[in-house]
Every structure is written in C-alpha cells, then in structure tokens.
Amino acid sequence: AQSVAQPEDQVNVAEGNPLTVKCTYSVSGNPYLFWYVQYPNRGLQFLLKYITGDNLVKGSYGFEAEFNKSQTSFHLKKPSALVSDSALYFCAVRVPGGGYNKLIFGAGTRLAVHP
Amino acid sequence: DGGITQSPKYLFRKEGQNVTLSCEQNLNHDAMYWYRQDPGQGLRLIYYSQIVNDFQKGDIAEGYSVSREKKESFPLTVTSAQKNPTAFYLCASSSGTSGRARTDTQYFGPGTRLTVL
C-alpha cells in the first residue's frame, strides 16, 4: 500500500540550531515528494518538492530537503531554526500512475522552536 | 493562501442540516480538490475535479457532495448523512492532473472550520 510516515509527532529545537523533520515513504515507482507547512487555523503553504534530478532540493524560507532513494526518505532540514518556524509540517507523496494528481499526506510533525 | 479563497472561515451546523462550503480560485487551474483535516490524521481527500462538469469521489466521499459548474468554483456540501462532520476543511487546486501537470503543486486555501452543535 502507498503510504507516508512522519515518525515524530513533535520536534523541539533551540533557536539557531539546525532542524530536521523526518519523512519516509512507501510507493511503487518513482515518487514525487512534497513538503507543506501549516500555521494555526490556516491552510497549507507549499515549501518544496522533489520530482527528479538533484537529491537536495531547496525551497522557501531557507528550508531544504534531501531525497534518499535507498532509504526511501525525504527529510526536511534547515541550518538555523527561527522561532517563527514553529508550525505543523506535512510530507506528501504523489502516487505515480492513475488519472489524477492524488497526494497522500503524512500525519504531520509539530515543530517547536524555543528562544 | 493567495489565489484560493474559502468561506466562511467558521461554520456551525445543527444536527440534520446541510451546509455548503465555498471555494473559489483565480489561478486558472483546471483541477480542484477538497480535503478534510482531523487532528493527528493528516489530510484525507473527499472529492476532486479535473475539469468543469466532472468530479470524482476521493477516499472519504460518503456524506458529502460537490458541483463544478464553473472553472473557478468548487463548492462542497456537507449533508446530514455525514455522521461526524466536525473538522477543518481545505480546498486546493492545481493546474492539471495529466501529462506534465502530474508533477504540479497543489495550492491550498485558508480553510473552513466546521463545528456541529
């Protein structure tokens, strides 16, 4: 079955330290992978995506993600966390094949950046 | 959130009522989607539409209905048949669903929070 896992419900990090939010996937074929961020009572904002090419993808607000095919992972990273990065982060994978742009979402990871 | 509007922001429903959530986009996107978000469960697809006058059920369509009479609009009706409608509802759109558009990003509206009284 196609699935996305975000193994951590919450990640805590001090401001200025590097952060990592983990994501692993299970799909058949080549995946298209996405990261979104959600602030309280708001919609999802697109951060970045991996389609093909370089395994390191750079996105909005200084975030980047590394695609690792052997480990089926797509971890989100930032070299120096800000308090304003505190939010709910979702990893999603587009299911290859089929007739429409279906995304499967992970359950989300809450990031808390402490001053 | 730019380009996709949802209204109202908050909605309260009494038992047995149908309610309609609005979603409008000015991005000239062909495809539109409705998701439901519950705490700790991520997003689940309710319905999607690839083109005007066409829509398909997603993973949790029971108790919901949609229409797609205009490219810009994709309203969702939560019917009295939906037993647990309290949730945060998100509308999204993307440029298309086939060919190169398969890799296109879905962009989301700000959401509607529905509460059953």
Side-chain angles (χ1 to χ4, degrees):
Chain A
Q2 325 276 13
S3 65
V4 175
Q6 294 181 241
E8 300 156 317
D9 291 335
Q10 178 151 334
V11 170
N12 296 296
V13 64
E15 187 175 29
N17 284 1
L19 70 87
T20 298
V21 183
K22 296 180 180 178
C23 172
T24 59
Y25 63 90
S26 175
V27 300
S28 55
N30 295 320
Y32 304 141
L33 295 154
F34 299 79
W35 275 103
Y36 288 87
V37 60
Q38 185 180 36
Y39 296 97
N41 291 311
R42 301 289 299 276
L44 273 65
Q45 295 180 29
F46 169 69
L47 283 177
L48 51 80
K49 66 181 178 183
Y50 172 83
I51 304 300
T52 187
D54 287 342
N55 290 339
L56 185 63
V57 179
K58 293 188 183 298
S60 305
Y61 312 120
F63 284 94
E64 57 189 28
E66 186 168 11
F67 172 65
N68 188 318
K69 188 172 184 177
S70 63
Q71 297 186 5
T72 62
S73 67
F74 190 55
H75 300 331
L76 181 70
K77 300 181 180 184
K78 188 174 182 181
S80 178
L82 300 173
V83 172
S84 58
D85 292 330
S86 299
L88 186 58
Y89 289 81
F90 288 99
C91 180
V93 61
R94 193 221 179 250
V95 178
Y100 70 101
N101 191 2
K102 179 175 181 176
L103 287 179
I104 295 177
F105 286 85
T109 297
R110 189 164 301 280
L111 174 66
V113 181
H114 304 285
Chain B
D1 297 348
I4 303 176
T5 58
Q6 291 186 241
S7 62
K9 186 175 177 65
Y10 298 97
L11 185 58
F12 299 91
R13 192 193 92 168
K14 295 181 180 179
E15 295 281 351
Q17 273 186 336
N18 293 352
V19 292
T20 297
L21 283 60
S22 170
C23 176
E24 304 276 334
Q25 54 99 359
N26 63 3
L27 301 171
N28 198 32
H29 283 169
D30 285 323
M32 297 186 74
Y33 314 82
W34 273 106
Y35 291 91
R36 171 179 171 141
Q37 183 180 12
D38 295 284
Q41 294 193 40
L43 277 69
R44 292 181 290 168
L45 182 67
I46 304 173
Y47 268 97
Y48 69 97
S49 169
Q50 299 181 76
I51 198 168
V52 174
N53 293 323
D54 179 71
F55 48 84
Q56 303 296 330
K57 293 181 179 180
D59 299 321
I60 56 164
E62 185 175 353
Y64 300 97
S65 66
V66 294
S67 63
R68 186 85 187 276
E69 297 177 359
K70 298 187 300 182
K71 187 175 184 177
E72 303 79 21
S73 178
F74 191 41
L76 173 74
T77 297
V78 184
T79 75
S80 57
Q82 170 50 237
K83 298 305 179 187
N84 185 23
T86 294
F88 192 50
Y89 290 86
L90 289 160
C91 178
S93 70
S94 66
S95 59
T97 59
S98 61
R100 294 179 61 184
R102 290 176 300 164
T103 64
D104 284 354
T105 301
Q106 289 187 22
Y107 294 95
F108 286 79
T112 292
R113 186 166 297 281
L114 174 63
T115 303
V116 174
L117 300 175

